[in-house]
C-alpha cells in the first residue's frame, strides 16, 4: 500500500510523492518558549514524532522544527521578570527539551531560532518589498533609528490567500475593520517587520531598528533549511489561519514557486469537551501530568486518536470537603453543589485524576508485562520448529499478520489507532502462547519448543512496531518497576508496606493457614494491588 497523507490544502487524502526520490523535507512549527510546555504541545509533537519515525522507515528525512524565541509574549514576560528575553527563551527551550525527552520525542535534525536567522528574515522582507508585496509605514516609537513598520500587501497575492483556510475574503475584510490600524493599506495586511519600541529587543535593518513579525520567521527558516519548495509542513489546526496562510503568501510571493506540497495539521486537545484554554482553568503543563502519570502512558494516550482528530482529555476532581465527584461545571466554578463548599482552582488541580490516562497506564503496563513474560518464557525453553506465526495463527477466513496491519494503518495517513490495534493483537497472541492457551485460537496445543520458536519470531516482529510508536521499546522489568513506583506514590501506597504483607502471606501459606493468606490477598486487592504467583516467584502490581 502506498503512503497516503491528508493534505489540508486539498482537503483530501492523497498519495504521498516526495519532491526527490527517497528524500523528504519536513517542517513543523515549534513552540514560543515563554512558559512551560502544555498538553497541547505534547499532542502536536508526539503526533509528528511518530510521523517522522514512520517516514524514516521509507525515506531519508530532514526534519526541521523551529523555536520562536522573539515574540510579544516573550518580551512581556522578560520585562515582568527583569530578564533578557533571549535568555528567558533559552531557559524555556531547555525545559521543552526535557519534557520532550520524557515523552520520547526526538530532537529534530535542525532546530532553528528566530534570533539566529535575522539576516535571512531581513533578506526575505527585502525581496518582498522589491517585488511589490511589502510596503513601509513610518513608525514614531520613541526609539532612535526605529524607522518603519513593514506590512505584507495581501491584495497583490490575490484569491489564493484564502485557499488553505477556506475563509471568505470579504468576511475577513469586514472582521478586520473592527480593530483596524488605519495606517495600513488594507485591514487584512499583516506585519513582516516591527519598528523597535522601548524595552524591546531589536536589530538593525534596511527598514530601521526593529524585529521580525511572527509569520515571516517560518518562511525564512523553511527556505534556508529545506529550499523554496519542500514536501510537508505541519502544526496545530490553530495555525492554519493566520500563520500558515501568511507563510504561503510570503514564501510564494517572494519566490514565485509553490511553498509546500502537503500541509498537515493535528487536532485540538479538549478538556471535558472544551477546547484547551487557560481561561477555563483547563490548562495543564506536561510536567503537571507526568508528575502523576508515567510519560509513556501520556504518549500512548495521545496516540489513541488519529492525529487529525480532537482528543478529549477528561479531567475529574473531588470536593476536598465532602469527597463528592465534581462535574465539569463545578470544577470550573470551583464550587461543590452537594455541600456548597467553595475551593480554589489550585486545590482542585492538585486532586485531579485523568481517566484516559488511568486506562493508558494499564494498557502500557499490559504491553510491557507481555514483553517481560515472553522473555521469561524464552529463558526457560529452547525454540524448535520451522512453521511461523502467520502459518500457525491464520485461518481460512483470516490471515494473521498484525505487522502488515500495522504498516497499512500507518500508510493510511499515519493512523496510530490502527497501529495500536495491531500491537494489541500481537500481545493477545503472545499471552496465549506463554500461558499454553493457544488452542483457544488455533484449535490445538503446541509443545513448548514450538511456542518458543513462535515467541522468538514474535519478538522480531514486535520490535519495529514499538520503535515507531515509541511505546514498549524499553527494557520491560525496569520500566514496570518505575511505573509501579510512580503509581504507588500517586495513590499513597508504600511499597515497603506491600512487601511486609507479602511476607506475612508467605508465612501464612507455609503454615498452611490459607484463610489468612487469602485474606491478605483480598486486602491488597481492595487497595488496588494484585498479587501474581509465578514460576519466578511472587510479584505484585498496582491495577487501578
Amino acid at each position: 500500500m502506498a503512503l497516503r497523507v491528508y493534505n489540508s490544502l486539498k482537503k483530501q487524502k492523497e498519495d504521498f510523492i516526495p519532491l526527490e526520490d527517497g528524500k523528504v523535507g519536513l517542517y513543523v512549527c515549534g513552540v514560543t518558549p515563554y512558559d512551560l510546555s502544555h498538553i497541547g504541545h505534547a499532542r502536536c509533537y508526539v503526533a509528528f514524532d511518530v510521523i517522522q519515525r514512520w517516514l524514516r522507515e521509507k525515506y531519508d528525512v530532514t526534519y526541521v522544527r523551529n523555536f520562536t524565541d522573539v515574540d510579544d509574549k516573550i518580551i512581556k514576560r522578560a520585562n515582568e521578570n527583569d530578564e533578557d528575553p533571549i535568555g528567558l527563551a533559552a531557559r524555556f527551550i531547555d525545559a521543552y527539551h526535557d519534557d520532550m525527552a520524557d515523552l520520547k520525542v526526538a530532537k529534530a535534525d535542525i532546530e532553528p531560532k528566530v534570533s539566529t536567522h535575522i539576516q535571512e528574515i531581513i533578506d526575505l522582507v527585502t525581496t518582498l518589498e522589491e517585488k511589490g508585496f511589502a510596503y513601509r509605514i513610518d513608525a514614531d516609537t520613541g526609539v532612535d533609528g526605529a524607522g518603519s513598520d513593514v506590512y505584507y500587501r495581501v491584495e497583490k497575492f490575490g484569491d489564493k490567500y484564502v485557499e488553505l483556510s477556506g475563509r471568505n475574503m470579504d468576511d475577513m475584510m469586514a472582521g478586520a475593520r473592527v480593530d483596524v490600524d488605519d495606517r495600513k493599506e488594507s485591514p487584512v495586511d499583516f506585519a513582516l517587520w516591527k519598528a523597535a519600541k522601548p524595552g524591546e529587543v531589536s536589530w538593525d535593518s534596511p527598514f530601521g531598528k526593529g524585529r521580525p513579525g511572527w509569520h515571516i520567521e517560518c518562511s525564512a527558516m523553511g527556505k534556508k533549511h529545506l529550499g523554496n519548495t519542500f514536501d510537508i509542513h505541519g502544526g496545530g489546526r490553530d495555525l492554519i489561519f493566520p500563520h500558515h496562510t501568511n507563510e504561503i503568501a510570503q514564501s510564494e510571493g517572494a519566490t514565485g514557486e509553490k511553498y509546500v506540497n502537503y500541509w498537515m495539521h493535528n487536532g485540538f486537545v479538549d478538556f471535558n469537551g472544551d477546547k484547551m484554554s487557560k481561561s477555563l482553568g483547563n490548562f495543564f503543563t506536561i510536567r503537571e501530568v507526568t508528575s502523576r502519570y508515567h510519560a509513556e502512558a501520556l504518549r500512548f494516550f495521545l496516540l489513541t486518536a488519529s492525529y487529525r482528530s480532537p482528543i478529549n482529555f477528561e479531567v475529574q476532581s473531588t470536593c476536598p470537603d465532602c469527597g463528592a465527584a465534581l462535574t465539569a461545571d463545578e470544577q470550573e466554578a470551583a464550587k461543590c453543589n452537594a455541600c456548597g463548599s467553595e475551593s480554589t482552582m489550585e486545590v482542585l488541580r492538585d486532586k485531579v485524576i485523568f481517566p484516559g490516562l488511568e486506562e493508558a497506564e494499564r494498557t502500557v503496563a499490559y504491553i510491557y508485562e507481555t514483553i517481560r513474560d515472553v522473555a521469561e518464557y524464552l529463558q526457560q525453553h529452547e525454540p524448535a520448529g520451522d512453521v511461523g506465526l502467520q502459518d500457525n495463527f491464520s485461518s481460512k477466513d483470516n490471515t494473521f499478520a498484525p505487522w502488515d496491519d500495522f504498516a497499512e494503518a500507518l500508510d493510511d495517513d499515519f493512523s496510530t489507532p490502527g497501529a495500536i490495534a495491531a500491537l494489541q493483537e500481537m500481545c493477545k497472541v503472545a499471552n496465549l502462547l506463554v500461558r499454553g492457551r493457544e488452542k483457544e485460537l488455533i484449535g490445538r496445543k503446541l509443545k513448548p519448543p514450538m511456542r518458543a520458536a513462535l515467541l522468538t519470531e514474535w519478538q522480531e516482529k514486535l520490535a519495529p512496531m514499538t520503535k515507531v510508536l515509541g511505546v514498549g521499546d524499553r527494557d520491560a522489568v525496569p520500566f514496570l518497576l518505575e511505573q509501579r513506583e510512580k503509581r504507588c506514590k500517586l495513590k499513597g501506597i508504600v511499597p515497603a508496606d506491600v512487601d511486609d504483607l507479602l511476607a506475612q502471606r508467605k508465612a501464612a501459606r507455609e503454615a498452611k493457614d490459607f484463610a489468612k493468606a487469602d485474606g491478605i490477598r483480598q486486602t491488597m486487592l481492595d487497595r488496588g494491588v494484585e498479587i501474581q504467583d509465578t514460576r519466578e516467584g511472587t510479584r505484585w502490581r498496582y491495577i487501578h
Side-chain angles (χ1 to χ4, degrees):
M1 178 179 175
L3 175 62
R4 290 178 62 77
V5 174
Y6 184 87
N7 189 344
S8 298
L9 191 65
K10 304 286 186 64
K11 313 295 189 294
Q12 64 183 19
K13 288 183 187 178
E14 300 178 324
D15 286 347
F16 178 70
I17 303 172
L19 287 165
E20 184 177 351
D21 285 347
K23 295 186 177 182
V24 171
L26 168 64
Y27 188 104
V28 175
C29 287
V31 296
T32 301
Y34 71 99
D35 207 338
L36 293 174
S37 298
H38 52 66
I39 296 301
H41 296 131
R43 202 308 161 79
C44 177
Y45 301 120
V46 166
F48 281 100
D49 185 61
V50 172
I51 288 168
Q52 65 90 20
R53 289 184 189 216
W54 187 240
L55 288 171
R56 290 183 196 277
E57 295 292 311
K58 302 168 178 288
Y59 307 101
D60 177 12
V61 177
T62 301
Y63 182 20
V64 181
R65 187 176 61 222
N66 73 298
F67 289 105
T68 303
D69 67 340
V70 179
D71 180 83
D72 292 345
K73 296 184 183 72
I74 293 171
I75 293 169
K76 181 176 183 295
R77 180 67 56 86
N79 288 339
E80 291 170 353
N81 293 355
D82 193 23
E83 186 175 0
D84 171 62
I86 303 300
L88 179 141
R91 180 159 58 83
F92 283 116
I93 287 172
D94 288 342
Y96 165 88
H97 279 138
D98 289 342
D99 289 338
M100 292 301 113
D102 282 346
L103 291 170
K104 296 196 288 190
V105 171
K107 285 188 176 182
D109 300 306
I110 303 170
E111 296 190 333
K113 304 173 185 175
V114 176
S115 62
T116 58
H117 288 70
I118 297 298
Q119 189 58 53
E120 289 82 0
I121 291 169
I122 290 172
D123 291 345
L124 186 56
V125 175
T126 300
T127 298
L128 287 167
E129 186 177 37
E130 290 171 350
K131 292 191 172 187
F133 283 98
Y135 59 93
R136 303 187 192 190
I137 298 176
D138 290 340
D140 183 10
T141 65
V143 174
D144 290 340
S148 304
D149 292 321
V150 184
Y151 282 89
Y152 186 91
R153 186 176 280 121
V154 170
E155 184 179 8
K156 183 174 176 61
F157 193 62
D159 292 339
K160 193 176 179 182
Y161 182 71
V162 296
E163 186 177 6
L164 179 66
S165 68
R167 296 187 174 209
N168 180 284
M169 182 63 82
D170 290 338
D171 291 343
M172 288 172 57
M173 292 280 287
R177 289 191 185 97
V178 173
D179 184 21
V180 66
D181 181 345
D182 58 14
R183 299 178 305 152
K184 296 191 299 182
E185 293 179 1
S186 169
V188 294
D189 292 349
F190 58 90
L192 300 171
W193 185 264
K194 297 182 178 183
K197 296 177 182 177
E200 292 188 354
V201 61
S202 63
W203 290 265
D204 292 323
S205 81
F207 333 110
K209 279 186 172 295
R211 60 183 175 88
W214 173 27
H215 316 294
I216 194 68
E217 63 182 82
C218 288
S219 289
M221 289 187 279
K223 182 177 186 297
K224 176 177 181 178
H225 297 292
L226 295 175
N228 290 352
T229 306
F230 53 90
D231 296 292
I232 301 173
H233 195 318
R237 287 184 56 82
D238 55 321
L239 297 180
I240 291 176
F241 184 86
H243 186 53
H244 290 166
T245 296
N246 291 349
E247 275 191 67
I248 292 171
Q250 293 162 162
S251 298
E252 297 188 4
T255 68
E257 301 176 34
K258 186 176 184 178
Y259 179 38
V260 172
N261 276 351
Y262 301 88
W263 286 90
M264 299 177 63
H265 295 94
N266 64 274
F268 294 127
V269 175
D270 295 342
F271 283 86
N272 292 337
D274 292 318
K275 182 179 176 295
M276 183 173 171
S277 168
K278 280 186 178 182
S279 63
L280 294 176
N282 288 338
F283 179 85
F284 290 89
T285 66
I286 294 170
R287 294 183 180 191
E288 281 182 287
V289 176
T290 57
S291 68
R292 296 170 168 85
Y293 298 88
H294 199 286
E296 195 158 328
L298 174 56
R299 181 184 176 98
F300 179 86
F301 170 77
L302 293 170
L303 296 176
T304 57
S306 163
Y307 77 91
R308 288 193 290 119
S309 302
I311 187 167
N312 188 37
F313 202 76
E314 188 180 357
V315 181
Q316 290 184 356
S317 188
T318 57
C319 173
D321 292 328
C322 73
L326 301 179
T327 65
D329 289 341
E330 287 175 303
Q331 291 177 55
E332 186 176 338
K335 182 177 180 179
C336 175
N337 292 336
C339 69
S341 66
E342 297 184 3
S343 186
T344 65
M345 194 61 66
E346 289 72 21
V347 170
L348 295 184
R349 288 166 66 89
D350 190 53
K351 295 174 65 65
V352 298
I353 64 167
F354 308 107
L357 282 182
E358 296 284 338
E359 180 61 29
E361 287 277 15
R362 290 189 286 271
T363 304
V364 171
Y366 166 72
I367 293 168
Y368 274 103
E369 286 165 355
T370 303
I371 294 168
R372 176 201 62 199
D373 293 348
V374 168
E376 289 177 351
Y377 191 92
L378 292 175
Q379 288 175 350
Q380 298 161 6
H381 302 284
E382 288 292 327
D386 297 328
V387 182
L389 280 166
Q390 187 165 328
D391 291 328
N392 270 277
F393 284 90
S394 295
S395 67
K396 65 178 181 179
D397 300 319
N398 179 54
T399 299
F400 178 78
W403 45 88
D404 291 340
D405 295 339
F406 181 88
E408 288 179 9
L410 291 177
D411 276 343
D412 184 14
D413 196 32
F414 309 97
S415 173
T416 51
I420 287 171
L423 176 64
Q424 291 178 316
E425 183 67 17
M426 287 282 283
C427 290
K428 173 184 175 181
V429 167
N431 278 292
L432 289 173
L433 285 168
V434 165
R435 287 156 180 76
R437 293 169 48 197
E438 64 278 353
K439 187 176 181 180
E440 296 176 17
L441 276 183
I442 63 176
R444 68 186 191 280
K445 292 277 289 184
L446 301 175
K447 293 182 179 180
M450 175 60 83
R451 289 194 199 111
L454 295 174
L455 289 170
T456 299
E457 182 188 351
W458 182 89
Q459 287 181 322
E460 295 169 355
K461 297 287 190 184
L462 187 79
M465 299 166 75
T466 59
K467 174 188 173 186
V468 170
L469 289 178
V471 175
D473 57 345
R474 291 179 51 185
D475 289 342
V477 173
F479 173 87
L480 289 167
L481 289 173
E482 180 183 303
Q483 184 191 42
R484 190 180 75 180
E485 181 179 343
K486 184 178 284 286
R487 299 295 289 154
C488 286
K489 183 178 180 181
L490 176 68
K491 302 299 183 178
I493 294 172
V494 180
D497 293 344
V498 176
D499 292 338
D500 182 58
L501 285 171
L502 287 178
Q504 294 178 38
R505 178 175 178 267
K506 180 181 178 182
R509 294 180 75 188
E510 289 173 349
K512 300 190 183 304
D513 188 349
F514 298 114
K516 181 177 180 181
D518 290 344
I520 293 172
R521 174 190 284 274
Q522 187 59 50
T523 296
M524 296 174 71
L525 193 60
D526 291 343
R527 297 184 62 189
V529 174
E530 179 184 68
I531 297 174
Q532 298 172 310
D533 294 313
T534 72
R535 294 177 181 177
E536 289 72 36
T538 299
R539 56 192 176 211
W540 61 276
R541 63 176 181 168
Y542 186 81
I543 58 172
H544 60 73

